[in-house]
Amino acid sequence: MRAFYLEHPDTFSVEATVLDRRGDAVLLDRSPFFPGGGGQLADRGTLTWAGGRLGFAGVEVDAHGAWHRFAGTGEPRGTVLLEVDAGFRRLMSELHTLAHVLNALVYTQHGGVLLTGAQLSADGSFRVDFDLPGADGAALRKLEGSMNDVVRQDLAVTAGYLPRAEAESILGMFRSRSVAPPPSPDGLVRVVEIAGLDRQACGGTHLASTGRARLARILKIDNKGRHNRRIKVGVGEA
């Protein structure tokens, strides 16, 4: 079974059944919560049942499944209502979409350079690190205009799946030097495509098109070691 938040990206409220409990965590038969990963923060939200309401605090995965941790006291049981903070999810999807746009521009303009790190932030900013020794800061700042051109073009953002071996055979499908999204339970790799611009493996959430993002600003460019160049980008008030 593929992740609910990927198959139903616009569903932020679902009923689920508590299968088991341990400490501050419950095992559920389904969940709309994105657990975090790949630089994207975990969803925010709540679990409500007859005995009260708790805030979502994270996910721990083991052989039994995904244990959802909740902050507060209480023992959820039976049927529960899970509600994702839709505004926060949208922010993460917006930042992740813009990060793909920036990654695509750097990748094509700098000879297939790889990511060395990425992080989305709750303040409406994100940073991406690239292996770009000697890159000119002024030239990198010009990417702001190119990013916003892509936003204005309102390119469709879609997702599909490929067998792992096939994905690995495609140049540029995996953009990080050190990590890669794990395959789904059926052995397939999720691929996110921005029409006419980019195609890469990714397990995060995104907007349906680039035009749904706000215009972006490059806030800062730093040298992080001999090779890494960090580009920090903000939207809104960030």
Side-chain angles (χ1 to χ4, degrees), residues 147-171:
M147 289 178 63
N148 289 327
D149 284 344
V150 172
V151 172
R152 295 185 184 97
Q153 291 173 45
D154 194 21
L155 304 178
V157 182
T158 57
Y161 291 85
L162 288 175
R164 177 79 187 198
E166 181 178 347
E168 289 177 340
S169 71
I170 299 173
L171 183 65

Side-chain angles (χ1 to χ4, degrees), residues 1-233:
M1 182 182 297
R2 293 172 183 165
F4 185 95
Y5 54 83
L6 296 179
E7 297 298 295
H8 308 278
D10 297 320
T11 300
F12 302 111
S13 177
V14 301
E15 289 189 342
T17 300
V18 175
L19 304 176
D20 200 358
R21 291 183 290 115
R22 66 180 189 194
D24 64 348
V26 292
L27 186 64
L28 303 165
D29 66 336
R30 64 176 183 165
S31 168
F33 291 111
F34 176 76
Q40 181 174 337
L41 299 177
D43 278 336
R44 297 174 178 177
T46 58
L47 176 151
T48 304
W49 81 110
R53 175 178 292 182
L54 301 174
F56 175 61
V59 174
E60 298 174 355
V61 179
D62 65 12
H64 300 284
W67 293 86
H68 287 58
R69 294 185 293 103
F70 292 89
T73 60
E75 295 184 355
R77 61 182 68 242
T79 299
V80 299
L81 177 65
L82 306 173
E83 295 178 283
V84 173
D85 181 331
F88 186 75
R89 165 75 73 79
R90 187 196 181 285
L91 174 62
M92 290 295 104
S93 298
E94 177 183 33
L95 297 179
H96 207 150
T97 301
L98 289 171
H100 274 232
V101 171
L102 180 56
N103 175 251
L105 294 170
V106 173
Y107 184 82
T108 55
Q109 294 180 20
H110 293 271
V113 66
L114 296 178
L115 277 169
T116 54
Q119 184 62 59
L120 313 184
S121 299
D123 66 357
S125 70
F126 68 89
R127 57 93 172 163
V128 282
D129 297 356
F130 296 98
D131 184 3
L132 278 173
D136 178 66
L140 293 177
R141 283 194 174 275
K142 291 180 180 178
L143 291 168
E144 178 180 305
S146 299
M147 289 178 63
N148 289 327
D149 284 344
V150 172
V151 172
R152 295 185 184 97
Q153 291 173 45
D154 194 21
L155 304 178
V157 182
T158 57
Y161 291 85
L162 288 175
R164 177 79 187 198
E166 181 178 347
E168 289 177 340
S169 71
I170 299 173
L171 183 65
M173 185 61 66
F174 297 92
R175 298 284 177 80
S176 174
R177 171 181 282 181
S178 57
V179 298
S184 60
D186 51 9
L188 301 179
V189 172
R190 183 170 180 264
V191 177
V192 173
E193 182 170 0
I194 301 175
L197 177 73
D198 189 48
R199 189 170 181 242
Q200 62 176 289
C202 182
T205 67
H206 302 80
L207 301 177
S209 70
T210 60
R212 300 191 184 191
R214 290 168 287 181
L215 297 180
R217 292 169 291 114
I218 291 182
L219 302 175
K220 192 176 183 180
I221 297 176
D222 284 330
N223 294 340
K224 294 294 181 180
R226 294 179 57 190
H227 293 273
N228 288 344
R229 296 297 178 269
R230 175 169 296 175
I231 305 175
K232 185 175 182 180
V233 177

